[in-house]
Amino acid sequence: MGVFRVLFKPFGQTTGLARWLLISGLLLTAMFVTFALFAPWIAPYGFAEEVPKKVAPPGDGFLMGTNDLWYDVWSRVVWGSRTAIEVVILAVILGLLVGVPMGLVSGYVGGWLDRILVLIMDALFAFPPLLLAIVFAFLFRDLIGGGVMAVALALAVIYVPQYFRVVRNTTLSAREATYVEAARAIGAPGHTIMGRYLFSNVIQSVPVIGTLNAADAIGTLAALGFIGLGIQPTDAAEWGFDLQRALDDTEAGLWWTGVFPGLAIVLLVTGLTLVGEGLNETINPTLRKRRLRRFALPPRRPAVEEEAAR
Amino acid sequence: MPTKPEIQGTAHAPKHRAPDEVLVSMQDVEVYFQLRGGSMARLLGMDTGSVRAVDGISLDLRKGEVLGLVGESGSGKTTLGRALLGLVAATGGEIRYAGQDITKLSTRHLRRLRGDLQMVFQDPSAALNPSMTIETAVGHPLKIHGLASGEELHRRVADALERVGLSPPERFMFKYPGDLSGGQKQRAVLARAVILDPVLLVADEPVSMLDMSVRAKILQLMLDLKRDLDLTYVYITHDLASAKFFCDRVAIMYLGRVVEVGRTEEIFADPKHPYTRSLLKAIPEPDPEKALPRDLPRGEIPDAASPPLGCAFHPRCPEAFDMCGWERRDLRALIEAHWTRHEALDFETERGTIANLDDLDEPSHEAVVAAGRSSSPVDVEDLLHRIREEDADEPLWRGVEDMTLTDGGVRVRFHDGADPRLRPAGGVEVACHLYPEVEPAAGEGPAS
């Protein structure tokens, strides 16, 4: 499939520093994905399961200690990565599903449709993302409750304009390409031109935005949880909520309730950012440096030897 | 006039006389592009003018012939080719194919015609979708029109690739355009164009982006395809040598008009229009013994947004005379050309004689050259006479009817020119006042 070829090409093309960025990022991310997938087996307790000890320090049967809600911190961190990954994947996919087709149609059709869509998207873009996320989190909480889906939708709204813009602009320039006119000349209708000719040529930069957005989504998700607009603590474990609970503990000298969820956020964001930057180094021609590889010719054997070799 | 030898000797089999069945008939086709203008003009909805890319062309395309559209950049040849396929909307006139007017068809109906009318593009690297394999790309027309699928599709793609010389087809089917050479890509484009079994193929400079070594092969391939598939070609080019090799008939285009059209042999043996003559002289001649003096047209191709009055070629024509539509913009060009030949000091003194040359920018057959602040109309008249004496053969002066002194300057009146229509001359048709127009049916007299 042409589309996958385009999307995955940059992974294979990375060299040098970009490859190291990519690999270390992928390793970090893979760790959290493992946590998310195998949470029931890795975590000793459920995310809302009360343990016998309250605010126990790390060690002593509890790897990362317990907090004031009688929860095991290590289990909360593991279950929290499941929540984070779920929300991120949903948010990015929703953003892609809405943003990419809209950008494609807007760029290809142009005219008034384009103007109106650009206006709406620019308006969304103009708001600070967190503010927008708060507003939409409120909205969706009323509509569909405070679950994973509501937060994912709120996050997707922030990311739609990014995909829209990038895809629309690339479409706008790709639309003038000869192969698009050639497609018209063989009688391809508009949706075929968009789907088969433009789509695979305008989504090169989407993976980069996707991974960078994923990193951003972790932060925003935590922020929403921190201010109490995220996922309900009874629905799923959520790092931002844990951080907020841990705020009071710091004064009491209980460091472990805050440090571990915070570390999880930092590590996952770092991992995703590294993947994004690694890809960006490769895709973005202004950052990319093609390295010259030294190539040594095999030493030439004297003619006599060559004769003998025959 | 001596002309160049054939590129390939007589490799081109005897050009069979095309039967006179008309395949496509163009009547006064016009394609105007609206100019964007400045932001202010767009805001206020002012008329920003338009570029006349194709300005009233009437041509018949006969079944089985190769018609060449030849002209320099900006002559509208590509736009005409695209209008023929409905890829560019014609703003006027009609293009009749199979009983329908292409310019009036809806997109849906036009799509159905795509099977008959196909195009080959100039740049083969840009004409193929970079993320589609050759098999998908070549077979896509069949898929779009729902003509074949599965095994049948595969077989027909293989046939088409074989036909254009990409064999064995298995070697090329799974490649991407980036893996092929320019010539191979152009073959793939040709395969995609012929897979629908078209009637007409518009080839827009199909070989100009290719290596010299590949050009002749691609042209020969196109001739073979024409013979096997019974095609009709419109061959768009600026390269007269390849047009001579390839075309049965040639239409020479200038600024959106056809200035001369006729059988290739006749046009090359006895070019009528001064523009055709200078184009033919511009073909490079490798043998210095045979080289001809080149009187290339002077100046540049004019602005198609406001073409010259009368015959569009007159400002560059060495043989222009009074009928050709002389006007004030030509006078400005002449005065400026005069100054470029003189010392800076002379220029300074003469520059003061004339108030402002920018007044001469609007097209009109009457010009008032206003005297500068410190000079009288008589000085202006003197200056004009001096320019005239300098080069009495300058064709512009043949167009001047009279020069009179007025209060503020000199009024120069030019003959009302006429826009030459295509008229038969010898075996060809030519749009030039040098050849008297035979009075056709009633009411078709010259515009003057």
Side-chain angles (χ1 to χ4, degrees):
Chain A
M1 276 294 286
V3 177
F4 290 110
R5 180 172 170 265
V6 169
L7 282 180
F8 287 105
K9 204 162 67 176
F11 285 91
Q13 277 179 341
T14 50
T15 50
L17 180 66
R19 169 150 285 183
W20 284 111
L21 289 179
L22 196 61
I23 288 177
S24 47
L26 282 174
L27 281 178
L28 272 175
T29 315
M31 185 174 82
F32 282 97
V33 171
T34 320
F35 284 172
L37 285 176
F38 303 107
W41 294 277
I42 294 173
Y45 302 95
F47 60 84
E49 189 181 335
E50 291 184 7
V51 291
K53 270 188 182 173
K54 190 182 170 188
V55 287
D60 191 22
F62 301 102
L63 186 61
M64 293 178 181
T66 61
N67 67 8
D68 62 342
L69 289 174
W70 304 82
Y71 293 156
D72 173 37
V73 176
W74 165 237
S75 304
R76 293 285 293 179
V77 167
V78 172
W79 284 103
S81 45
R82 172 172 272 197
T83 317
I85 300 278
E86 268 176 12
V87 170
V88 163
I89 289 178
L90 271 175
V92 169
I93 286 182
L94 286 172
L96 275 171
L97 280 182
V98 179
V100 171
M102 268 206 324
L104 205 56
V105 171
S106 182
Y108 180 71
V109 176
W112 281 107
L113 178 74
D114 183 44
R115 284 193 187 193
I116 290 168
L117 283 175
V118 166
L119 194 75
I120 294 173
M121 292 297 160
D122 278 359
L124 281 179
F125 224 33
F127 285 102
L130 187 59
L131 182 66
L132 210 60
I134 291 171
V135 171
F136 279 97
F138 253 130
L139 206 74
F140 289 125
R141 234 153 74 121
D142 284 351
L143 286 174
I144 51 176
V148 167
M149 197 59 188
V151 182
L153 274 175
L155 291 178
V157 173
I158 323 176
Y159 302 130
V160 164
Q162 297 186 20
Y163 297 107
F164 172 83
R165 273 205 165 189
V166 167
V167 169
R168 174 193 169 262
N169 290 353
T170 12
T171 307
L172 218 52
S173 59
R175 182 177 70 161
E176 304 300 323
T178 314
Y179 62 82
V180 174
E181 195 181 16
R184 287 209 290 140
I186 59 174
H191 60 89
T192 310
I193 295 181
M194 282 188 267
R196 298 299 308 277
Y197 287 83
L198 288 172
F199 179 66
S200 52
N201 291 304
V202 297
I203 50 164
Q204 274 105 335
S205 30
V206 165
V208 175
I209 313 175
T211 42
L212 292 178
N213 277 344
D216 189 69
I218 302 288
T220 315
L221 170 70
L224 283 179
F226 191 82
I227 56 175
L229 285 170
I231 297 155
Q232 297 305 305
T234 46
D235 281 355
E238 207 269 304
W239 297 332
F241 173 80
D242 288 353
L243 272 185
Q244 199 259 324
R245 295 291 312 178
L247 211 55
D248 300 332
D249 298 345
T250 45
E251 282 167 32
L254 311 178
W255 55 272
W256 58 89
T257 52
V259 163
F260 292 113
L263 203 62
I265 294 174
V266 170
L267 284 180
L268 184 50
V269 169
T270 312
L272 288 169
T273 312
L274 285 176
V275 174
E277 288 301 330
L279 286 182
N280 203 14
E281 289 268 322
T282 314
I283 291 175
N284 190 340
T286 55
L287 294 175
R288 178 174 53 204
K289 265 188 251 153
R290 287 259 178 256
R291 295 207 312 171
L292 292 176
R293 296 233 178 93
R294 205 171 280 283
F295 178 73
L297 284 171
R300 213 171 146 181
R301 286 186 296 181
V304 192
E305 243 177 82
E306 215 145 276
E307 285 287 296
R310 266 183 224 165
Chain B
M1 181 187 133
T3 49
K4 288 173 50 65
E6 295 282 357
I7 322 170
Q8 289 225 324
T10 50
H12 184 13
K15 292 171 183 168
H16 68 275
R17 270 302 132 254
D20 276 354
E21 189 191 335
V22 172
L23 185 71
V24 179
S25 159
M26 292 170 255
Q27 271 302 319
D28 302 317
V29 178
E30 284 172 358
V31 183
Y32 291 1
F33 293 115
Q34 192 74 30
L35 287 173
R36 267 170 69 89
S39 51
M40 211 44 204
R42 257 181 291 152
L43 204 66
L44 300 175
M46 283 161 23
D47 182 21
T48 45
S50 52
V51 171
R52 303 175 183 183
V54 174
D55 191 13
I57 286 186
S58 304
L59 264 179
D60 282 345
L61 186 60
R62 295 173 203 141
K63 195 162 169 28
E65 77 171 346
V66 181
L67 173 69
L69 294 180
V70 182
E72 56 194 312
S73 337
S75 60
K77 52 192 193 302
T78 300
T79 310
L80 180 64
R82 290 186 181 190
L84 258 178
L85 301 184
L87 289 175
V88 170
T91 44
E94 61 176 39
I95 301 171
R96 298 205 76 82
Y97 167 75
Q100 346 179 37
D101 183 357
I102 291 178
T103 60
K104 307 266 184 318
L105 284 182
S106 68
T107 326
R108 180 188 298 264
H109 284 97
L110 207 51
R111 257 208 310 276
R112 233 170 280 155
L113 270 187
R114 296 283 187 227
D116 288 356
L117 314 172
Q118 274 297 317
M119 179 141 188
V120 176
F121 296 87
Q122 176 173 16
D123 183 358
S125 317
L128 291 166
N129 183 351
S131 56
M132 231 183 211
T133 58
I134 296 299
E135 182 186 13
T136 330
V138 171
H140 212 207
L142 289 174
K143 215 167 165 188
I144 287 171
H145 294 275
L147 294 174
S149 61
E151 199 46 44
E152 162 86 357
L153 180 70
H154 182 80
R155 195 183 51 75
R156 286 182 68 175
V157 171
D159 279 355
L161 289 179
E162 196 106 42
R163 192 182 275 288
V164 297
L166 289 178
S167 66
E170 294 74 32
R171 252 185 68 199
F172 297 96
M173 278 186 160
F174 308 110
K175 297 219 159 130
Y176 286 91
D179 306 331
L180 302 186
S181 74
Q184 287 170 336
K185 274 183 264 195
Q186 195 63 297
R187 282 172 195 268
V189 170
L190 274 166
R192 181 176 64 183
V194 299
I195 202 164
L196 284 174
D197 208 4
V199 179
L200 169 69
L201 207 61
V202 174
D204 183 6
E205 312 216 21
V207 295
S208 65
M209 300 278 278
L210 301 177
D211 279 357
M212 273 301 178
S213 55
V214 189
R215 286 188 186 184
K217 283 191 206 159
I218 294 285
L219 285 181
Q220 190 57 52
L221 169 67
M222 287 179 67
L223 288 173
D224 295 345
L225 288 174
K226 172 176 166 348
R227 192 192 56 221
D228 297 347
L229 302 173
D230 202 17
L231 290 167
T232 304
Y233 282 137
V234 171
Y235 178 68
I236 299 168
T237 187
H238 58 256
D239 175 16
L240 278 162
S242 72
K244 184 177 179 183
F245 164 71
F246 197 65
C247 300
D248 299 318
R249 275 201 313 150
V250 172
I252 310 283
M253 289 188 61
Y254 187 76
L255 216 64
R257 300 276 184 94
V258 170
V259 294
E260 184 167 357
V261 54
R263 294 226 328 277
T264 311
E265 299 88 343
E266 276 197 62
I267 289 205
F268 277 81
D270 181 18
K272 300 276 193 307
H273 199 283
Y275 179 61
T276 318
R277 271 183 240 165
S278 48
L279 275 186
L280 287 183
K281 284 182 188 164
I283 301 178
E285 172 56 66
D287 183 356
E289 302 276 304
K290 285 192 200 162
L292 301 159
R294 296 195 187 160
D295 38 356
L296 299 177
R298 49 188 184 162
E300 296 283 324
I301 191 161
D303 182 5
S306 62
L309 300 179
C311 169
F313 187 59
H314 82 258
R316 308 173 72 188
C317 182
E319 296 173 56
F321 57 103
D322 56 356
M323 294 260 302
C324 292
W326 294 99
E327 48 158 315
R328 53 161 88 161
R329 283 177 294 175
D330 303 322
L331 186 63
R332 175 183 185 160
L334 182 73
I335 295 173
E336 282 173 345
H338 161 79
W339 281 337
T340 58
R341 287 191 298 268
H342 281 261
E343 299 289 331
L345 202 64
D346 292 346
F347 166 68
E348 286 303 329
T349 48
E350 286 186 1
R351 183 70 193 82
T353 316
I354 294 172
N356 192 1
L357 277 181
D358 292 341
D359 298 343
L360 300 178
D361 267 354
E362 290 296 310
S364 162
H365 285 305
E366 194 174 279
V368 176
V369 187
R373 216 171 281 157
S374 55
S375 58
S376 68
V378 183
D379 294 334
V380 179
E381 198 181 22
D382 275 352
L383 173 63
L384 289 177
H385 279 303
R386 257 196 319 242
I387 296 175
R388 183 168 194 165
E389 275 158 31
E390 222 169 68
D391 182 11
D393 291 338
E394 165 59 43
L396 176 119
W397 300 113
R398 297 176 210 157
V400 175
E401 203 164 87
D402 57 19
M403 288 205 291
T404 44
L405 286 175
T406 61
D407 293 346
V410 178
R411 181 192 305 277
V412 185
R413 287 207 300 136
F414 295 98
H415 290 286
D416 287 339
D419 192 358
R421 297 155 176 282
L422 272 179
R423 62 207 58 186
V428 302
E429 281 187 89
V430 61
C432 181
H433 289 304
L434 288 172
Y435 304 91
E437 188 163 16
V438 210
E439 200 62 44
E444 279 273 307
S448 56

